[in-house]
Amino acid sequence: MKAKHSFAHIFRAFAAISALTLLISCGGKAAPTGQTYAPGTYTASAKGYHGDVTVAVKVTKNKIASVRVLKHGETPGISDLAISGIPKAIVDSQSLAVDSVSGASFSSKAVIEATTAALKEAGADIEKLMVPGAAAEKEADVELSADVVVIGAGGAGMAAGVSAHQNGATVVILEKMAKVGGNTISAGGAMNAVDEGSETAIKNKDSVALHFKQTYEGGDKKGDEVLVKTLVENAWASVEWLQSMGMKFLPEPFTVTGGLWPRAHKPVDPVGTGFFKTYNAYIEANKGIEVRLNTKAEKLIVENGKVVGVIATGKTGNKITVKANKGVVIASGGFGQNVAMRQEFNKQWPTLDETIKSTNHPGATGDGIMMGREVNAAIVQMENIQLLPLGDPETGSLSGNIETDVEKRIYVNIEGNRFVDEGARRDTMTLALFNQPQKKLWIVVDAHSYPEGTVKNNFNETIDGLVADGRAFKGETVEELAEKIGVPPANLAATVAEFNKHVASKTPDAFGRTLYSVPLDKGPYYAGARVPTVHHTMGGIKIDAETHVIDVNGNVIPGLYAAGEVTGGIHGSNRLGGNALTDITVFGRIAGANAAQGK
C-alpha cells in the first residue's frame, strides 16, 4: 500500500526546523487578474506564539515564486504543518486566503501576516490576494483493505498501528486532521511507570502496588480494577517498548501535577514529539503501515455482527472505504472540545460552557464515541470530565505553564494568598480555583526552578522568552514580583514566608500539603497566570482488559477494539497526572496486538 499522505512527510519539516530554514517553492498558478509585483525577495516578520516568525518572499513580475520561513521559535511537532504547509498553500493558490492549520492557529496567522507584509512591500494589491484560489476538485472514491484499520493518529492510534504491524499485520491509520499527534503531541510528556526493584523505585519508596492504590483511590474507586491493574502492571514494559524503538527519557522520574508521587518519566524530546519521532522512525524503516491524513472516519462497517471496516470521507468530500481483514481499533480521543457533549454530561463543575477553554486539540470532539454508540457499544462514566487549574488565560492550553515540578511552586489567588494543597488531586485543586476571585491563580516559583533565563519549562519554552512575551513576570524580590502581577506585596511576602516555614519543618500546612523540596527564597522570582481548563474526558467506550469493545448487553463486539481517551472506566472520577500517556501506550499496544491476531 502506498500512502497518499505519508506520516514521514509530516516530520520532514521537524528536521528542517532545527536548521531554522524551510523552503517551499513551486510553479504556482498565475497571479490574480491585474496582479503585478516588483520582482525581488522581500523579508518581513510577524508575532507567533513564541516570538517573531520571519519569512522571505520571492516574486517575479506576475507570480509569487516562493515563500521561505527563515526563523521562528514555534514548538516543533505542533507548529510544523503551519510552518511548512501555509507557505506552500500560498504559492499553490497564489492567494493569501488560505486556511489556518488546526491546532497551530497562532503559527499559521504569523506566517500569513508576515507574508502579507512582504507582499505589500513588493507592491501587491493585498485586497485582490485575499480572494480565495480555486477550490480543489473532488477526488475519486477509494477502496482499500488492510489487516487492521485504526481510527485516529494520536498517541493511542500510533501505538496500536505500530503494535499491530509488529504482530504481523498490514495497517491503515485514518486521521481526520491535517497532521498526526492528537492531544499527545502537545502533552507535557510525563509518563507514569514503576521500574519495580530499581534503585530509583526503592529510593522513592514506589511500587506497582502503590501506583495501583493511588490510581484506583485517586479515581474514588470508580475505575475498573482489572483495567487499572492492567495499566500499572504494563506501564514499565511500555516504557521499555518505546526505548527499544529509540525513544529516550531523562534519567530521574519526577512528580507531575496531580501525579501524587515521583514516578513520571519525561522524554528527552520536547512536549509529546518524542512519541511521534519514535513511531515515525519505525514506519519509515518498515513497509505495511499507511497513514491517511485529512480522512474522517464516519461509520463502522458491520457484517454478520462483526465489525469489518470503516467508511470515511476524504479532504475533498470523496468516499474512502477501508475493509479490515482482522479488526478495527477506535483510538480517536475524547470530547474535550465538544462543548455540547461537555454540558450534556457535566455533573461536577459549575459550568463547562464555551467560557471554559480546553487544553485539547481541535479534533477532540467525541467522534469515536458516537461511532461506537451506533454499533451498540456500551458508553460509561461520561460525567467524569477532568479539569486542570493550569490553563493559559487566552487559549486554555498548558503552554506557558512556568512550573517545572510540584515540590518547587505555590499557587496564590489575585489577593496573594494560597488557597489549596498544590500537591493534591487535580479535581481538588480546580474546584478550589473555581471558588477564587476571577477563577484565576498565579503560579509562583524562584531561581531554584530557573537558575538561568534559558532554562525551559515542560513545554520547551524558556523563562526569558515567556517573560519577554508577557506570559510570565519576573521580580528580583517577592515584593517586586507582587507589584508586577498586581497582588498586595505584603500578602505575597507573608504567604511565601509561611510556606518556607513548612519547607523547613517538612510538616503539613493548613491545606495539608506534604510535598516539599526547597524554600522559595532565591531571587529572581517568577509568576504566571492560570485559569481552569478542560483537560481529559474519562468516560467513553467500555472495554475489557484485552481492549475488546463491550456492547450494552455485556458482550464483546467481534472485530472491534478501542484504546486511549475514547474509552471509559479506567481512571474513574479523576485521572492521576502522568497516567494518560501510560494509558494510551499500554492499551494502544494491547489493542494493536490483539487486532492483528484477531483475538
Side-chain angles (χ1 to χ4, degrees):
M1 294 177 293
K2 184 177 180 181
K4 183 171 179 239
H5 301 285
S6 75
F7 176 67
H9 170 76
I10 301 303
F11 268 88
R12 290 191 189 108
F14 186 89
I17 284 171
S18 63
L20 292 176
T21 302
L22 193 148
L23 172 65
I24 297 95
S25 179
C26 56
K29 301 176 183 177
T33 304
Q35 187 69 259
T36 59
Y37 309 98
T41 300
Y42 300 84
T43 302
S45 299
K47 187 172 178 58
Y49 204 67
H50 300 303
D52 285 347
V53 174
T54 302
V55 304
V57 180
K58 182 178 180 180
V59 294
T60 62
K61 183 178 180 180
N62 62 3
K63 186 171 68 175
I64 303 171
S66 69
V67 176
R68 289 185 297 152
V69 176
L70 297 179
K71 183 180 179 181
H72 72 90
E74 307 301 89
T75 304
I78 298 174
S79 65
D80 295 353
L81 202 58
I83 297 300
S84 63
I86 297 295
K88 184 178 187 304
I90 290 171
V91 174
D92 285 349
S93 66
Q94 295 293 298
S95 167
L96 290 168
V98 297
D99 293 333
S100 293
V101 174
S102 294
S105 56
F106 281 91
S107 302
S108 301
K109 185 171 180 283
V111 174
I112 294 169
E113 288 184 351
T115 305
T116 300
L119 290 172
K120 187 174 182 180
E121 188 179 348
D125 184 332
I126 300 300
E127 187 175 342
K128 288 183 179 179
L129 287 176
M130 295 308 297
V131 176
E137 293 183 7
K138 184 177 180 180
E139 296 176 321
D141 292 344
V142 177
E143 292 189 4
L144 304 169
S145 67
D147 293 329
V148 175
V149 180
V150 180
I151 301 172
M158 296 304 295
V162 169
S163 176
H165 186 270
Q166 290 177 336
N167 281 272
T170 57
V171 181
V172 170
I173 303 175
L174 307 176
E175 172 55 55
K176 74 174 182 179
M177 307 300 287
K179 62 186 180 72
V180 302
N183 284 335
T184 304
I185 204 165
S186 57
M191 181 176 177
N192 284 342
V194 181
D195 180 11
E196 199 161 52
S198 68
E199 290 184 9
T200 300
I202 293 170
K203 179 185 71 174
N204 292 332
K205 299 179 181 178
D206 201 6
S207 65
V208 171
L210 181 60
H211 191 188
F212 173 88
K213 174 182 171 66
Q214 292 182 323
T215 298
Y216 184 57
E217 293 180 357
D220 295 318
K221 299 183 179 180
K222 294 181 179 178
D224 183 314
E225 291 187 62
V226 173
L227 296 181
V228 176
K229 185 177 181 182
T230 303
L231 175 77
V232 301
E233 290 185 347
N234 290 277
W236 181 249
S238 294
V239 171
E240 292 181 314
W241 179 66
L242 291 165
Q243 290 174 327
S244 74
M245 293 186 287
M247 188 164 170
K248 298 184 183 304
F249 292 84
L250 296 177
E252 289 297 319
F254 70 105
T255 306
V256 68
T257 301
L260 306 184
W261 209 261
R263 66 169 64 94
H265 299 269
K266 184 176 177 60
V268 169
D269 290 296
V271 287
T273 58
F275 291 86
F276 297 93
K277 286 177 65 179
T278 301
Y279 296 137
N280 174 57
Y282 180 89
I283 290 170
E284 286 192 333
N286 297 276
K287 295 181 180 180
I289 302 179
E290 176 179 358
V291 181
R292 297 185 68 94
L293 303 178
N294 296 304
T295 305
K296 185 178 185 298
E298 305 278 6
K299 185 177 181 180
L300 298 169
I301 302 171
V302 181
E303 294 178 359
N304 300 318
K306 180 180 180 181
V307 175
V308 296
V310 180
I311 295 174
T313 302
K315 184 177 181 180
T316 61
N318 57 318
K319 182 180 179 181
I320 299 172
T321 304
V322 191
K323 297 301 286 288
N325 301 324
K326 295 184 176 180
V328 172
V329 179
I330 303 178
S332 53
F335 58 95
Q337 289 286 14
N338 189 324
V339 175
M341 285 183 74
R342 283 164 24 183
Q343 287 286 73
E344 176 185 355
F345 294 105
N346 175 37
K347 293 181 181 179
Q348 178 179 8
W349 306 100
T351 183
L352 292 182
D353 65 14
E354 63 280 352
T355 66
I356 306 298
K357 302 183 188 303
S358 176
T359 64
N360 290 192
H361 79 112
T365 52
D367 304 355
I369 294 173
M370 291 181 272
M371 276 187 280
R373 292 176 91 168
E374 290 176 0
V375 296
N376 223 27
I379 309 298
V380 296
Q381 300 188 359
M382 291 289 284
E383 71 278 7
N384 293 336
I385 301 171
Q386 183 175 73
L387 272 66
L388 283 180
L390 299 173
D392 180 286
E394 297 297 324
T395 66
S397 76
L398 293 181
S399 67
N401 180 0
I402 67 171
E403 67 179 37
T404 55
D405 58 293
V406 168
E407 290 87 350
K408 296 179 183 176
R409 53 55 170 153
I410 60 172
Y411 300 158
V412 301
N413 60 22
I414 61 173
E415 296 166 345
N417 299 318
R418 288 179 60 221
F419 58 91
V420 73
D421 170 9
E422 297 90 345
R425 288 169 30 157
R426 292 174 164 185
D427 55 353
T428 298
M429 291 187 287
T430 309
L431 281 169
L433 180 55
F434 265 99
N435 292 323
Q436 302 309 303
Q438 299 178 23
K439 297 195 292 288
K440 177 180 176 180
L441 66 77
W442 291 98
I443 298 173
V444 178
V445 299
D446 69 356
H448 287 107
S449 292
Y450 294 98
E452 303 290 341
T454 55
V455 173
K456 295 180 178 180
N457 64 4
N458 292 331
F459 298 87
N460 205 44
E461 302 159 317
T462 67
I463 192 65
D464 277 354
L466 292 172
V467 170
D469 290 343
R471 302 177 69 206
F473 296 86
K474 176 182 179 180
E476 293 303 320
T477 65
V478 172
E479 289 80 4
E480 181 185 349
L481 180 68
E483 292 283 358
K484 289 189 175 181
I485 65 176
V487 307
N491 281 11
L492 186 59
T495 294
V496 170
E498 178 64 19
F499 171 76
N500 288 344
K501 289 180 183 178
H502 290 279
V503 175
S505 67
K506 296 294 190 288
T507 57
D509 61 19
F511 305 102
R513 175 165 171 160
T514 58
L515 289 174
Y516 303 106
S517 60
V518 293
L520 292 172
D521 63 355
K522 186 178 181 181
Y525 298 84
Y526 300 94
R530 301 277 100 180
V531 297
T533 184
V534 174
H535 185 54
H536 194 97
T537 53
M538 295 164 291
I541 295 171
K542 183 177 177 62
I543 60 170
D544 62 16
E546 301 300 320
T547 73
H548 301 115
V549 173
I550 307 302
D551 71 15
V552 294
N553 297 311
N555 301 313
V556 168
I557 299 178
L560 188 60
Y561 308 80
E565 197 173 348
V566 75
T567 67
I570 297 172
H571 304 288
S573 60
N574 172 69
R575 178 178 64 78
L576 260 60
N579 271 359
L581 295 180
T582 310
D583 174 0
I584 62 175
T585 311
V586 167
F587 289 100
R589 285 184 70 198
I590 293 171
N594 286 340
Q597 299 168 44
K599 294 173 66 175

